[in-house]
Each structure stands twice: as structure tokens, then as C-alpha cells.
């Protein structure tokens, strides 16, 4: 019987916490066909249709196991809800692992890899004597912040908030970041959201290693600093394995006709505007963006969702049935019909970013969107909304210098004039040109990192695979 290395991966609830770890698994079994992955899936309510259809396309050596769904309980923050789902699923995770280990011919689990929200499974891994890894599907800078937060929390008196600090925070190997540009989960240190976040960060250090969706050429200083800390045994070993992205096939067919529209535009002439899978603007901001795009007179392809005062409104709940186009300023669609294409709620992003007509991306700076833009060399306009997006925006503007970022007014609203100026500058200005050149360098570097012979991230994964093979079981 062929020797097979068995890995277990554990995502947390929600499509965007499932896809990264499955894509990592796909990369692993593609590079190492003698690996078998079992994915133990917790879910909040019944599995979404996007998750179901995504899981139908798994290769045969990735096997999903579905845990009983946790009832939806409308917690006030999506982080709490995801964490709660994992916590309630822990007994099922333990039982599933035990049963995998006791099945007669599949008794060795070489490694367990968990999503950051599933950090509690580290205890189970240790109890069952399985080596444990975390997968951080984010930047190395965000990972550095996670590992640095316990120290920061200790050093800064708990009565003061990080967002009120005068000076930027200096995390080793990272571009300095103002407290206000950290994840909103750390903005109220007395909240349960913060306490859970801090606890997850503390526990990250208990893993045998941390895989991160970045690559050496993109975040060289940060990765070097993380690896040095690991050598001094202050932190777990870090493995940059990215960019690992969703291939974007399947449900991404061009229902709206936007790809067809792009086919008829000039090369690099279109600004793609999207706030990820759930980012939402207020009505006031939606109006300003619409007028700003119109004022810029540049071409645009805009994914619009119904407005809300909660920027993450659609993140875990995409059930808003209202027509987003009804919320656009009166006459906007008619006035911009020669210049713009508007799509309600969801677009085939990967195909759009790789299209030759796309010349810029106004993005909420979700890490997948950032990496997809890098992979296609598309210059960015950074418009972060929530979670770690503001930290990504700092990396992109101050660190990599591949994005322009609007300042907004004292209420956080970005006005139409500023939007129009930045859009013009990104699409046609000298600054945009410089950004485009730097993005092309990163695009080539990202392709190199994934080369099958000697790519830096391929080699990192090979190094891990060799460690795991030594522990592998039989199937
Ligand atoms: N995406 C897409 N179409 C959309 C919006 C998003 O295909 O209209 C995909 C996008 O390509 C990316 C993911 O959804 O892979 C969004 O992930 P990201 O980390 O950028 O942001 P999040 O949705 O987690 O805020």
C-alpha cells in the first residue's frame, strides 16, 4: 500500500474562512500528490450555497467532513460569531480527530492546520499529540501584529486606546502603523471582541509553526524579522507559502456581461471598484463615490451593494434582496453610461483583474484582493473599511508604495473632489505611472515565488512537506 501523508485542516465558519485553507490544501496536494487532506468544517447555520458549490469541486485527495451546524445567534460582531461557532464545535472536532486516528488503516495524522479563529483546536492537538500549525491567510505584517499584540497590551496602560496613541507603533520589521490603522477589533480594549482577539494572538505562539499567505519578495523585512524571532525561540517558526488564491473558476461566469464590456475598452483604461465579499458604504459615502467617479471622467467598473452604516454589514449575511442600483444618485446611470459599467453585489473579480482593459483597482484592501491585484500588476487605490484592511492599506501606501489612499474628512467621509483627483492621478498621472512600474515588479516576483522548480514559497512548502512525510500514515 502506498505511503500517504495525512493532514487535517480546520477552517472556521464562513466562505472567506473556508476558501483560504482549502486553497492551501489544494496547493499542497498538487505539489505533493502523495498527501491526503481531511477538512473538518464547522458551520454557522446551514452551509451557504457558495460554500456548497465550492466544495463540490474538490480534488479526490481532499475529503470534507461536515460538523453539525451551530445555530445563528445574531451576535453583534462577526468575529464573535465565528469564534462562538468554533468553540461550540470543539467537542465534535475532538471526536472526529479521535475517530480518524483510530480507524484501522489511517491512524497517523502528520499535522493539523487551523484557521486563526480556530486557535482553540491547538489544545486538542496537544492532547492527541498531533503537530499543530496555524494558517494566517493574511499579510506577514498582520501576522507580526498578532504576535506583537500581547507585548503591546502589556506595555500600554489598559485605560488608553491604541487608536489614541500619538506616535505610530513600531512592530519589528514592519512599516510603522498608527493605532487608528489597526484592526477595529482592537479599538475598544474593554470589549469582549478585543479580549477574544488578544487571546487568539497569545495562543498563536503555542503552534509548532505558522503558515502565512505572503511571500519573501513582497514582505522581505517583515518575514526576516519574524524568522529571527523564531530562531531566538520567542515565536513559532514562520512559513511564507503565498500567494495562494482562489482560482476564480466555477460560479464566476459573466452573468452581468462586464467581461464583454471590458473587451470593448482600451487597454488599462478602466478602474475596477469593489469592496470585497461584504464591504458596505453608507448612503452618503455611496453618493460621494458615485459623483467622484463621474467627476473623474475615467472609465469604471463598479460592484455596488445596498448601503449600510455598518461597513461589514454584508460580510456574513448576503441576504439583502434590495436592488443596489436603486441607491445610486438620480440620473447617475444615464449620465455615466458611456464611461461606466455597474454590477449589483458580485463580480468575477479574478477575470476582471487579469483583463488587459483594467488599469486600476479601488479596493477595500482585503488581503485576497491585494494579492490578486499584485498577481496582475494592477495599481491600487486603498479604501479600507474594517478588520485588518487599514493595516494592509498602510503596507501598500507607506511600505510598498503601490497604492494611493484618500484622507477623507473629520467624519471619515471621502468627498467627491478628492475621489476624482485620486482616480485621475492613479489612472493617468505621474504617480499612477510610478505605482504601475512598482506593481509590475511585484507581479513578476509573485509569479517567481510560485515557480514549481525553485519558487521561494514552493520551497517553503516542500520543507514542511518533508517534515510531515516523516510522520505520515497510510491510507
Ligand atoms: N470577490 C469576487 N467578486 C466580488 C467580490 C469579491 O470574486 O464581487 C472575491 C475576490 O476575488 C477575493 C474575495 O472575494 O478573492 C474577497 O476576499 P478579500 O480578502 O479581498 O476580502 P473580504 O471579502 O474577505 O473582505
Amino acid at each position: 500500500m502506498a505511503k500517504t501523508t495525512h493532514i487535517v485542516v480546520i477552517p472556521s465558519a464562513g466562505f472567506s474562512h473556508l476558501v483560504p485553507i482549502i486553497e492551501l490544501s489544494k496547493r499542497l496536494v498538487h505539489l505533493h500528490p502523495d498527501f491526503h487532506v481531511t477538512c473538518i468544517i464547522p458551520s454557522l447555520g446551514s452551509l451557504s450555497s457558495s460554500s456548497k458549490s465550492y466544495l463540490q469541486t474538490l480534488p479526490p485527495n481532499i475529503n470534507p467532513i461536515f460538523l453539525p451546524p451551530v445555530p445563528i445567534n445574531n451576535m453583534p460582531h462577526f468575529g464573535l460569531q465565528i469564534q462562538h461557532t468554533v468553540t461550540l464545535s470543539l467537542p465534535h472536532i475532538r471526536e472526529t480527530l479521535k475517530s480518524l486516528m483510530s480507524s484501522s488503516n489511517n491512524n497517523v495524522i502528520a499535522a493539523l492546520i487551523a484557521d486563526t479563529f480556530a486557535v482553540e483546536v491547538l489544545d486538542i492537538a496537544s492532547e492527541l499529540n498531533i503537530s499543530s500549525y496555524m494558517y494566517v491567510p493574511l499579510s506577514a505584517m498582520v501576522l507580526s501584529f498578532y504576535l506583537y499584540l500581547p507585548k503591546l497590551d502589556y506595555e500600554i496602560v489598559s485605560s488608553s486606546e491604541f487608536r489614541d496613541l500619538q506616535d505610530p507603533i513600531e512592530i519589528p520589521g514592519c512599516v510603522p502603523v498608527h493605532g487608528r490603522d489597526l484592526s477595529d477589533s482592537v479599538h475598544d480594549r474593554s470589549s469582549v471582541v478585543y479580549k477574544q482577539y488578544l487571546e487568539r494572538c497569545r495562543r498563536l505562539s503555542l503552534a509548532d509553526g505558522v503558515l502565512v499567505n505572503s511571500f519573501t519578495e513582497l514582505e522581505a523585512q517583515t518575514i526576516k524579522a519574524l524568522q529571527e524571532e523564531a530562531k531566538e525561540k520567542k515565536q513559532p517558526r514562520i512559513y511564507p507559502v503565498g500567494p495562494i488564491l482562489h482560482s476564480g473558476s466555477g460560479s464566476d461566469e459573466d452573468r452581468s456581461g462586464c467581461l464583454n464590456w471590458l473587451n470593448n475598452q482600451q487597454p488599462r483604461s478602466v478602474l475596477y471598484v469593489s469592496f470585497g465579499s461584504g464591504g458596505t458604504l453608507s448612503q452618503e459615502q455611496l453618493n460621494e463615490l458615485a459623483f467622484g467617479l463621474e467627476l473623474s471622467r475615467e472609465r469604471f467598473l463598479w460592484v455596488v451593494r445596498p448601503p449600510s452604516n455598518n461597513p461589514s454589514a454584508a460580510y456574513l449575511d448576503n441576504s439583502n434582496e434590495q436592488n443596489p442600483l436603486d441607491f445610486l444618485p438620480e440620473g447617475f446611470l444615464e449620465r455615466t453610461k458611456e464611461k461606466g459599467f455597474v454590477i449589483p453585489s458580485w463580480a468575477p473579480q479574478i477575470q476582471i483583474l487579469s483583463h488587459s482593459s483594467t488599469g486600476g483597482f479601488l479596493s477595500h484592501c482585503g488581503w485576497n484582493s491585494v494579492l490578486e491585484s499584485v498577481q496582475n500588476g494592477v495599481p491600487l487605490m486603498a479604501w479600507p473599511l474594517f478588520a485588518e484592511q487599514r493595516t494592509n492599506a498602510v503596507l501598500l501606501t507607506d511600505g510598498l508604495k503601490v497604492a494611493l489612499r484618500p484622507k477623507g474628512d473629520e467624519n471619515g467621509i471621502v468627498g467627491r473632489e478628492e475621489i476624482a483627483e485620486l482616480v485621475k492621478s492613479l489612472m493617468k498621472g505621474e504617480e499612477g505611472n510610478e505605482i504601475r512600474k512598482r506593481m509590475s515588479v511585484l507581479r513578476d516576483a509573485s509569479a517567481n515565488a510560485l515557480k514549481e522548480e525553485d519558487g521561494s514559497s514552493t520551497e517553503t512548502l516542500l520543507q514542511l512537506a518533508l517534515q510531515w512525510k516523516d510522520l505520515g500514515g497510510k491510507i
Side-chain angles (χ1 to χ4, degrees), residues 15-16 245-246 252 272 274-279 303 305 315 345-350 363-370 372 386 388-389:
F15 186 65
S16 51
L245 293 166
H246 185 9
D252 282 348
Y272 170 54
S274 168
F275 296 91
S277 61
V303 188
R305 55 177 65 92
Y315 196 63
S345 298
W346 191 260
Q349 177 159 310
I350 310 256
S363 168
H364 75 315
C365 302
W367 190 239
N368 291 301
S369 295
V370 170
E372 286 159 10
F386 62 95
E388 78 298 331
Q389 295 153 13

Side-chain angles (χ1 to χ4, degrees), residues 243-453:
I244 295 181
L245 293 166
H246 185 9
S247 57
S249 53
S251 60
D252 282 348
E253 66 202 54
D254 187 21
R255 276 189 223 109
S256 68
C258 67
L259 297 176
N260 213 10
W261 181 79
L262 277 177
N263 289 340
N264 294 318
Q265 309 304 317
Q266 295 297 316
R268 292 183 187 160
S269 66
V270 175
L271 177 76
Y272 170 54
V273 182
S274 168
F275 296 91
S277 61
T280 308
L281 302 179
S282 65
Q283 179 66 68
E284 185 184 0
Q285 187 60 84
L286 192 74
N287 289 346
E288 289 305 308
L289 179 53
F291 286 122
L293 291 172
E294 189 178 345
L295 262 178
S296 78
R297 308 186 67 79
E298 294 296 331
R299 293 182 178 267
F300 62 86
L301 174 55
W302 181 11
V303 188
V304 185
R305 55 177 65 92
S308 162
N309 289 332
N310 172 6
S312 60
Y315 196 63
L316 280 185
D317 177 14
N318 248 318
S319 60
N320 192 334
E321 305 266 291
Q322 292 166 292
N323 181 0
L325 307 194
D326 292 345
F327 298 90
L328 292 168
E330 219 182 315
F332 171 78
L333 290 174
E334 184 54 30
R335 289 194 304 276
T336 57
K337 66 173 192 266
E338 300 298 323
K339 294 262 175 195
F341 195 100
V342 175
I343 313 173
S345 298
W346 191 260
Q349 177 159 310
I350 310 256
Q351 286 93 324
I352 291 170
L353 286 173
S354 59
H355 198 288
S356 58
S357 299
T358 304
F361 181 11
L362 190 167
S363 168
H364 75 315
C365 302
W367 190 239
N368 291 301
S369 295
V370 170
L371 290 177
E372 286 159 10
S373 216
V374 165
Q375 235 176 11
N376 291 291
V378 179
L380 284 158
M381 183 160 153
W383 190 311
L385 294 175
F386 62 95
E388 78 298 331
Q389 295 153 13
R390 280 183 292 271
T391 311
N392 294 341
V394 173
L395 169 66
L396 295 166
T397 48
D398 301 354
L400 298 168
K401 301 194 171 23
V402 291
L404 299 178
R405 182 178 180 186
K407 292 190 176 58
D409 66 13
E410 61 283 2
N411 300 318
I413 297 288
V414 186
R416 58 192 77 176
E417 284 82 13
E418 187 182 13
I419 295 169
E421 276 316 303
L422 283 197
V423 169
K424 281 192 280 189
S425 177
L426 188 76
M427 300 302 288
K428 300 256 169 69
E430 192 43 43
E431 237 182 328
N433 217 9
E434 292 303 312
I435 288 183
R436 186 162 290 111
K437 283 187 205 154
R438 283 190 283 272
M439 263 300 194
S440 311
V441 174
L442 292 183
R443 178 196 53 211
D444 296 346
S446 82
N448 284 339
L450 295 182
K451 274 196 183 149
E452 298 214 351
E453 320 78 68

Side-chain angles (χ1 to χ4, degrees), residues 170-185:
E170 310 239 354
I171 306 166
C174 298
V175 55
V177 57
H178 271 284
R180 59 176 179 271
D181 280 326
L182 297 173
S183 164
D184 39 13
S185 298

Side-chain angles (χ1 to χ4, degrees), residues 11 14-24 54 135 244-246:
F15 186 65
S16 51
H17 291 266
L18 172 70
V19 173
I21 212 156
I22 293 276
E23 292 300 319
L24 168 70
Y54 173 70
Y135 180 43
I244 295 181
L245 293 166
H246 185 9

